[in-house]
Amino acid sequence: MNAIIFSALLGVVLMFSGILVKNKSAYTYIAAVGLLLLLVVNLLNTYGIWSIQVNTHAMLRFDKFGMYFNSIAISATLIYVLLSGKEIEKAGANVSDYYALLFFVLCGVTILSSFNGLLMLFLGIEILSIPLYILTGSDKRNLKSTEASLKYFLMGAFSTGIMLMGIALIYGATGIFSLGGTSMAPSSGLLRPSFLEVAGLILLFVSMCFKVSAAPFHFWTPDVYDGAPAVFTSFMATIVKAAGFIAFVRLFDMHTQILGPTWHILLAFVIVATLLIGNITAVFQQSVKRMLAYSSIAQAGFMLFALYSINDLAKEGLLLYSVAYSLATIGIFAVLIKMSDYTFDGFNGLAKTQPVLALATTVCLLSLAGIPLTAGFFAKYYMLASMVKAGGPTWLVMVAVLFAAVSVYYYFRVIQAMYFKEGDAETAPVTSLFKTVLLLLAALIILLGVFPSIVLNWFYF
Amino acid sequence: MIPVLLILIPLVTGLISFFLKQSAAAKNWALLSSVITLAVAVTGIFFLPANQLAFDAPWLPNLGSRFTLMTDGMGKMLCLLTAVSFPLIFAATYRNDYSNAPGFYGLMLLSQAGLLGVFLAADALLFYFFWELALIPVYFLCSIWGGNKRIAVTFKFFIYTFIGSLLMLVGIIYLYFQSPDHSFALQSFYHITLEAKQENLIFWLFFLAFAIKMPIFPFHTWQPDAYEQSPTATTMVMSGIMVKMGIFAVVRWLIPVFPNASVHYGNLVIILSVTGMLYASLIAIRQDDIKRLIAYSSIAHIGLMCAALFTLNKTGWEGVMIQMFNHGVNVIGLWVVADVIEQKTGTRKFSELGGLAQKAPVLAILFVVMALANIALPLTNAFIGEFLMFNGLFHFNVWIAAIAGISVILAAIYTLNMVQKVLYGKTAVATENAVEIKGNVQLVLVILAIVVMVLGIYPQPMIDLTKDTVHAILVK
């Protein structure tokens, strides 16, 4: 409960700080301190030292898994603010509002990590989404940004509609909003789930696929990610996406048996489509930003493995995947924003002009590609292992592995441009703080790649 | 502690190397590091009791993976090969100048750490880690310091081997869940019993990874281009040591884990290998470039080793063991010669060379020694290895042995053709100003030639060193 309350409060604080404080970089400091505070109160809650008790009538359930994810999301946001704070200040006129919106998004994230009923899921998704629509369109003078925002809003509203429809159907079938309370419960005496409930679940599935940009509901992703100011794309593609997956797993954790074998066929189709579209389209991109948009779709395909196998390995793995993927993507975006040219050729010769940036980007790219000694390897390892443990089909594992090899192609194109090609990549001036944080990020990725237990052992406290 | 040191010394010195400023300092630093590694390896392998050669520590308790290192005879021999090769490679290419030399030597040392780790690891996940650690520095080495077509060629090489590695990873995960105590330890992998269908499937997941690495026909297409385009020092590492990773892995991780599938698919693998031998030898005859010729000749030699392994015959295996070492020595020698010739004359094409023997007689003599070893003439080290391997093949199937034997004749044709065109005949324009080799290069080639001769006359130490591996795995 701590994280939900404090993130909402901090959002309000930052919103009003715009009246009192006029110095733009002050907001970044306030936000960083606020995030640190948020992290601390969430940790206090996790280890049961201090928490605010509110009777939620079982609509929220605070378990280790959720609170643990909160810590990950808050830490990732903190790193993101430290790296890209300067860019947020430049994104538009109302800097304090952007930070306030980021905190409201975090509030949505924390609700999504602890919802115990469909109503709360809906609230969480909406609290998360609406600030994002605004952030996408924050660069008002840019037509692409406005277009992306409108597109995102329309598509998002549509999927929310589908989700509400699904919730209504499930409520109609079972009479309750809480998770796990299905018509198959022994008390109801029914052996087969009702048609309404199955239809409702499928609608929920579709709308969640939309939120995590799984194919074939991914069409909004490249345009929105490309059109939004890069600094907010970075946030959307990482923390928000990971939160979507956590909600997805929480939602279907108890509901898979209702759909029976159909569930696995449906999911296998979505996974293969997501991997195929994400990876193959990413190969043909000329802009690194667009490539990253498709890569985020491709990575979603891997994360969907956790949904297929739902077991202990899958949950641990999803947390690790969130960390690995978020850290790497935040790092790459932080560098990308500094580049004056977003195409692959824009990176030519970066290793000569900015060796530190090139090194950190390389580590991040290796992690995304799942090369051993980086966090991304263990993330992928856990996904594959959970699938094998759950007895999932071998062909699905093989397909995923082959697409992982395809992903090497487009990630390594950036490395090739930076190290092996001639050119003088131009960057905006970078501060030594930026370099330090970036190097620490890279070091963290490697550390997690050698000892993933650092993250996972917390889980067993 | 010795195995840990063997990995740590190149790893740490390699990382330090990136921070050096001058290229001369980096060169000497790398040479010093590799000599220390050699000293540690020799001390560990020949002078210390066996219990010093194993190491075990917890690594990933949640996953059931431990940091376990062990050395059997084959491991010792390959560690020795790696430890001996690197100082020789550094010394032989001492005169080459690289842009950003600290980076070059740092990556070389990192790949040495990876290679030694592969030969020492006794835990599947650890093995996978080192397998990749050996690959990634080589990818950067070839892509930064290679020839004109380096980026595309090296990328092909990387994608090929990475697909292989990923398939192996899937195989490792499957085996992990089948292992009796849910661990990645080599010994528990040895105790897995699988259903025939499953065993056959996972066998291929592993074999593809190793076949690409070796490489076995038809997975070899990355190899000639990669060897040709890489900087020579890296090519030496790749062809001298890295291809042995494939052979080594088949002995340690494939045949004992999948005994039935290895018998079942043995014929197919042997036929592929022998096809590759003839195919590569025939292509080698048509080559006009020293590097490409050595690359194809290397495919032929590796094919013979792989074929001999799958005969599951003791004599054949003894041959493979000593040939792994000998092929490493010989092929590095040939690369040194190729590199020297390119440095002195500016070309690697036979058609532009000729009459080098008059200008550089010492080089010519040493070149001939290496060439003869490549043909496996008696009194050279390769003879005894190839003899034993053919013996093994002969016991397995006379016809296959006979067909494989053709490749020996072909080897003589292409190697002697190369020697003749490069060393003798009319002095070509390119060789007009060539001078005799001196210093480091001469020393390295003399050392290699001595190893060739000594092991050719008295190969028993190598057979003794590796016989425990042969025995342990074949008896199982």
Side-chain angles (χ1 to χ4, degrees), chain A residues 313 316 362 366 369-374 377-378 380-382 384-386 388-389 392-395 397-398 401-402 404-406 408-410 412-413 415-416 419-422 449-453 456-457 460, chain B residues 11 58-63 99 125 128-133 136 139-145 150-152 154-156 158-159 162-163 165-177 182 184 201 205:
Chain A
L313 274 181
E316 277 178 40
T362 306
L366 291 177
I371 307 282
L373 290 177
T374 61
F377 167 73
F378 275 110
K380 284 208 167 63
Y381 170 84
Y382 264 91
L384 295 175
S386 78
V388 172
K389 191 181 183 191
T394 312
W395 64 266
V397 178
M398 301 305 275
V401 158
L402 289 179
V406 172
V408 167
Y409 177 82
Y410 51 84
F412 273 51
R413 271 180 76 189
I415 298 182
Q416 288 172 351
Y419 281 92
F420 315 146
K421 292 195 176 154
E422 296 296 322
V450 183
F451 297 106
S453 332
L456 297 170
N457 275 350
Y460 295 104
Chain B
L11 188 68
W59 178 35
L60 302 168
N62 304 347
L63 293 176
S99 61
L125 204 59
Y128 183 79
F129 259 64
F130 284 125
W131 182 271
E132 295 288 316
L133 180 62
I136 291 174
Y139 168 72
F140 279 93
L141 282 168
C142 302
S143 301
I144 299 178
W145 289 278
R150 62 187 192 279
I151 296 180
T154 319
F155 201 33
K156 181 175 167 187
F158 186 83
I159 297 263
F162 190 63
I163 290 177
S165 313
L166 282 172
L167 294 177
M168 175 168 75
L169 179 67
V170 174
I172 289 176
I173 294 173
Y174 270 97
L175 285 183
Y176 165 75
F177 286 108
H182 277 241
F184 290 100
L201 175 73
L205 293 179

Side-chain angles (χ1 to χ4, degrees), chain A residues 310-370:
Chain A
I310 299 192
N311 50 26
D312 53 337
L313 274 181
K315 286 182 184 172
E316 277 178 40
L318 194 59
L319 287 178
L320 194 61
Y321 213 113
S322 314
V323 177
Y325 168 71
S326 300
L327 286 181
T329 310
I330 287 174
I332 296 174
F333 265 106
V335 174
L336 181 71
I337 298 164
K338 301 279 180 195
M339 306 297 296
S340 46
D341 182 359
Y342 284 178
T343 60
F344 282 97
D345 289 338
F347 278 79
N348 283 357
L350 186 69
K352 293 220 171 59
T353 53
Q354 293 282 1
V356 175
L357 266 58
L359 177 71
T361 314
T362 306
V363 172
C364 292
L365 287 165
L366 291 177
S367 180
L368 282 182

Side-chain angles (χ1 to χ4, degrees), chain A residues 29 43 66 83 117 183 202 252-253 278 291 304 399-400 418:
Chain A
Y29 293 116
L43 285 176
L83 276 177
S183 56
I202 289 177
F252 279 90
D253 200 355
M291 180 276 278
L304 282 170
V399 166
M418 290 190 300

Side-chain angles (χ1 to χ4, degrees), chain A residues 56-71:
Chain A
T56 59
H57 298 281
M59 289 175 86
L60 292 171
R61 182 164 50 88
F62 301 100
D63 48 17
K64 277 273 162 70
F65 181 64
M67 285 194 281
Y68 194 59
F69 177 75
N70 288 348
S71 300

Side-chain angles (χ1 to χ4, degrees), chain B residues 127-418:
Chain B
F127 170 72
Y128 183 79
F129 259 64
F130 284 125
W131 182 271
E132 295 288 316
L133 180 62
L135 169 67
I136 291 174
V138 168
Y139 168 72
F140 279 93
L141 282 168
C142 302
S143 301
I144 299 178
W145 289 278
N148 294 331
K149 288 187 292 177
R150 62 187 192 279
I151 296 180
V153 164
T154 319
F155 201 33
K156 181 175 167 187
F157 157 65
F158 186 83
I159 297 263
Y160 252 93
T161 42
F162 190 63
I163 290 177
S165 313
L166 282 172
L167 294 177
M168 175 168 75
L169 179 67
V170 174
I172 289 176
I173 294 173
Y174 270 97
L175 285 183
Y176 165 75
F177 286 108
Q178 300 290 336
S179 66
D181 52 348
H182 277 241
S183 84
F184 290 100
L186 180 65
Q187 288 309 321
S188 57
F189 272 30
Y190 281 2
H191 289 107
I192 294 172
T193 41
L194 297 161
E195 292 167 31
K197 201 179 146 200
Q198 216 174 11
E199 184 175 337
N200 292 343
L201 175 73
I202 307 177
F203 170 86
W204 281 105
L205 293 179
F206 275 77
F207 182 70
L208 279 177
F210 304 153
I212 291 171
K213 204 74 166 190
M214 283 195 254
I216 292 295
F217 174 85
F219 308 106
H220 66 281
T221 55
W222 60 267
Q223 194 241 36
D225 291 338
Y227 282 12
E228 187 194 353
Q229 293 293 323
S230 303
T232 312
T234 314
T235 314
M236 291 178 195
V237 175
M238 285 165 82
S239 62
I241 313 169
M242 271 186 92
V243 293
K244 309 301 181 303
M245 281 163 64
I247 304 275
F248 162 87
V250 167
V251 175
R252 183 175 277 180
W253 294 97
L254 190 79
I255 289 175
V257 181
F258 312 99
N260 300 325
S262 302
V263 176
H264 188 219
Y265 290 116
N267 274 326
L268 178 59
V269 173
I270 290 173
I271 289 169
L272 281 181
S273 310
V274 172
T275 314
M277 284 167 72
L278 294 181
Y279 176 75
S281 303
L282 287 171
I283 297 179
I285 292 178
R286 299 287 304 159
Q287 294 304 312
D288 188 34
D289 180 309
I290 304 180
K291 274 192 156 184
R292 288 189 81 83
L293 184 137
I294 303 174
Y296 280 108
S297 139
S298 187
I299 296 179
H301 286 119
I302 295 290
L304 178 59
M305 288 188 223
C306 183
L309 275 184
F310 278 85
T311 60
L312 301 177
N313 172 296
K314 181 163 169 285
T315 329
W317 274 48
E318 280 173 350
V320 174
M321 293 295 155
I322 53 175
Q323 188 64 2
M324 273 202 266
F325 189 88
N326 292 336
H327 177 259
V329 170
N330 298 350
V331 85
I332 288 175
L334 283 173
W335 289 121
V336 173
V337 172
D339 188 41
V340 169
I341 291 176
E342 194 182 358
Q343 300 272 328
K344 304 249 180 230
T345 64
T347 179
R348 297 192 307 254
K349 296 208 181 309
F350 308 155
S351 47
E352 296 171 13
L353 288 163
L356 196 60
Q358 290 173 348
K359 299 281 173 190
V362 179
L363 172 66
I365 292 168
L366 294 167
F367 185 15
V368 170
V369 172
M370 289 300 156
L372 294 182
N374 198 43
I375 315 173
L377 223 63
L379 287 187
T380 64
N381 56 355
F383 168 72
I384 190 74
E386 292 213 352
F387 176 77
L388 290 172
M389 288 192 286
F390 274 111
N391 200 337
L393 268 181
F394 189 81
H395 282 291
F396 182 76
N397 186 319
V398 179
W399 287 107
I400 288 179
I403 295 170
I406 298 174
S407 77
V408 179
I409 303 168
L410 295 175
I413 295 175
Y414 60 71
T415 314
L416 292 177
N417 185 34
M418 170 175 73

Side-chain angles (χ1 to χ4, degrees), chain B residues 408-449:
Chain B
V408 179
I409 303 168
L410 295 175
I413 295 175
Y414 60 71
T415 314
L416 292 177
N417 185 34
M418 170 175 73
V419 169
Q420 184 201 343
K421 283 188 176 159
V422 172
L423 294 181
Y424 307 111
K426 227 176 92 205
T427 309
V429 185
T431 41
E432 213 52 72
N433 298 321
V435 285
E436 185 57 277
I437 50 165
K438 296 193 291 280
N440 287 332
V441 179
Q442 196 176 17
L443 181 70
V444 169
L445 279 175
V446 168
I447 293 175
L448 289 172

Side-chain angles (χ1 to χ4, degrees), chain A residues 91-92 98 134-143 145-146 227-229 232:
Chain A
Y98 302 149
I134 306 170
L135 287 177
T136 308
S138 57
D139 190 0
K140 279 184 219 142
R141 283 150 302 178
N142 186 339
L143 267 182
S145 169
T146 317
F232 296 126

